[in-house]
Amino acid sequence: MKESVVRGLGLVASLGYAAAVAWLYASQPQTVAQVTGGFAAIVGAYKVDPQAFADGLRFFRRDQFVEARAAFARADSAERDPRTEFYIAYTYYRQGWGRLYSDDALFGKGLAAVDKAIALAPGGRFVVDDPDLQMHSADELRAELQRGMTREASDFNPLRVLRTRK
Amino acid sequence: MSAIREAIVLPLLFLTVTLLAGVQLTTGVALVPPSLFSLVLGTMLIAALVRSGALAPARLLRGSRSILANANGATVLATLFAASAQVLAMLTPRSGLPLFFLDVFLFVLLLNTLVTQPDRVRLLRSLAVTLGSALLLKFVVLASVSSPSMSRMSRVMVALFDAATFGTIAQEPQSAGAGYLAFFAVGLFLIGVGSLPAAQPVSHDSDLARHDPR
């Protein structure tokens, strides 16, 4: 093989490998699925499993939140899809919502998931067109989760029992 | 040095070392970038390699080479720097007195190596001994002190020792695979450093012959 070809191939391979190493350091994947999904997303080949997503949505609408999260996690194993992450955050919101108080642990997990959805969405803006939801944007959901975790005087307002879950 | 070694083997080997040495196996998997001090140590290590003749930068980067060849040479140097810093960061304990003392020890050792200017073979031997000792210290000695799977008596002894040293010795427990990964990374790094283009030995015979009065 010609020397210049070897040198050119070597340079391309080295730069590609260096970029992959830099991406791994920046994104800190925890599973092999996250690694492969991340690389697939870079080249635009990442796809959410539609069957698992539909299962997750069905469970979500029946208020089976643990089952819904399992299905959503299966659908988006690499955690690269903002829509799935949004729905995961919504499951935490609905499961953690209470008429008298909210579950801070679940709301905290929801906040982490919605932050991931915002980070993955182009320009940080994510809106979902789902008539079953009362909050359609990641920003609304994030604000609601944050409100649920904040202690304030209005928490002691007895009229709070009349509020409804979104 | 062959084009394959310079353009493909060395950069890929050093990048693999950079990746492996950054992996931290504790409760999960994390990739930890090198600390600022490791970057300083990495720079000193490269300077020591150059001064000893184990690395001849002029054989990788010079005006008479083509742009492509110089790009390959620059890639070798950049990846060598990243791997050096990451290997030194990997071998340094994470906290407490061991972190402080090993950092100081490596700094003084590399400074001493820079000043004494050993030849290539001696430097490579010294580097193997230094990295091997640091590996044993962190992944055998300190790991056994910090291991959660000890007998009750050992745990009591370690707890007493830890209390006497104000908790500055024990480290965060590591996965069993961490030591093997570190050993593999150090081995690859030493192979890579040994394969770097060395300075050409100066022929004194010709000079002597020129000045020979006979």
Side-chain angles (χ1 to χ4, degrees):
Chain A
M1 201 184 286
K2 263 182 75 176
E3 188 183 316
S4 58
V5 175
V6 171
R7 287 190 178 282
L9 282 176
L11 189 63
V12 170
S14 304
L15 293 178
Y17 192 12
V21 171
W23 178 81
L24 286 170
Y25 270 95
S27 61
Q28 298 282 331
Q30 295 293 306
T31 60
V32 176
Q34 286 180 8
V35 174
T36 51
F39 284 127
I42 288 170
V43 296
Y46 182 69
K47 279 195 176 64
V48 171
D49 178 354
Q51 181 59 58
F53 185 81
D55 290 346
L57 217 49
R58 203 172 58 247
F59 287 130
F60 175 71
R61 286 175 181 150
R62 285 191 213 148
D63 282 5
Q64 291 173 279
F65 301 117
V66 178
E67 292 87 339
R69 278 197 293 275
F72 284 137
R74 203 170 53 249
D76 181 26
S77 54
E79 298 173 15
R80 305 288 308 174
D81 181 46
R83 189 171 60 136
T84 314
E85 293 305 313
F86 176 82
Y87 275 104
I88 289 174
Y90 222 120
T91 64
Y92 281 120
Y93 164 73
R94 284 195 169 173
Q95 190 181 359
W97 185 87
R99 207 163 283 284
L100 297 175
Y101 67 93
S102 309
D103 185 323
D104 279 358
L106 288 172
F107 269 42
K109 288 179 183 172
L111 200 59
V114 79
D115 278 341
K116 205 178 285 175
I118 290 170
L120 290 168
R125 180 181 181 272
F126 181 76
V127 179
V128 66
D129 188 22
D130 184 339
D132 287 346
L133 306 179
Q134 288 184 42
M135 293 182 284
H136 296 278
S137 74
D139 295 332
E140 284 174 290
L141 179 57
R142 190 176 192 283
E144 190 67 18
L145 287 164
Q146 268 182 332
R147 261 196 297 277
M149 293 172 72
T150 311
R151 299 278 167 274
E152 52 195 4
S154 65
D155 289 346
F156 303 102
N157 183 352
L159 292 177
R160 268 172 64 90
V161 295
L162 300 175
R163 69 199 174 114
T164 52
R165 193 180 70 175
K166 292 182 181 174
Chain B
M1 188 169 58
S2 73
I4 290 179
R5 196 192 332 168
E6 185 188 327
I8 299 172
V9 176
L10 284 175
L12 299 192
L13 192 141
F14 286 131
L15 283 169
T16 305
V17 171
T18 308
L19 183 61
L20 292 179
V23 174
Q24 263 190 16
L25 298 171
T26 47
T27 46
V29 181
L31 283 163
V32 182
S35 63
L36 185 60
F37 196 71
S38 303
L39 297 180
V40 174
L41 292 178
T43 310
M44 289 174 74
L45 177 57
I46 291 179
L49 288 171
V50 172
R51 280 178 73 92
S52 70
L55 168 65
R59 290 183 64 193
L60 292 169
L61 284 169
R62 63 171 184 273
S64 57
R65 300 179 97 207
S66 68
I67 293 173
L68 197 55
N70 276 333
N72 289 144
T75 309
V76 170
L77 291 176
T79 54
L80 168 66
F81 175 66
S84 305
Q86 196 57 275
V87 162
L88 290 165
M90 174 189 73
L91 295 175
T92 311
R94 281 180 217 155
S95 59
L97 282 178
L99 165 70
F100 174 74
F101 282 119
L102 201 78
D103 269 348
V104 170
F105 169 73
L106 286 173
F107 182 78
V108 172
L109 202 68
L110 286 170
L111 202 62
N112 182 55
T113 309
L114 274 171
V115 173
T116 53
Q117 214 175 330
D119 62 16
R120 177 178 178 272
V121 175
R122 284 197 179 117
L123 179 99
L124 292 178
R125 277 186 199 150
S126 154
L127 188 63
V129 169
T130 305
L131 296 184
S133 308
L135 183 90
L136 281 175
L137 180 72
K138 181 173 174 181
F139 292 96
V140 179
V141 179
L142 287 174
S144 66
V145 167
S146 315
S147 170
S149 58
M150 291 188 296
S151 67
R152 194 169 294 170
M153 190 61 202
S154 309
R155 279 208 296 272
V156 170
M157 294 301 290
V158 168
L160 285 173
F161 179 66
D162 212 28
T165 55
F166 301 106
T168 53
I169 301 294
Q171 303 285 305
E172 196 183 332
Q174 296 181 53
S175 155
Y180 293 98
L181 201 66
F183 182 83
F184 187 61
V186 168
L188 274 184
F189 180 69
L190 289 172
I191 290 170
V193 169
S195 312
L196 286 168
Q200 307 284 6
V202 180
S203 171
H204 294 288
D205 297 346
S206 54
D207 291 344
L208 287 173
R210 214 178 293 135
H211 294 105
D212 195 350
R214 280 180 294 173

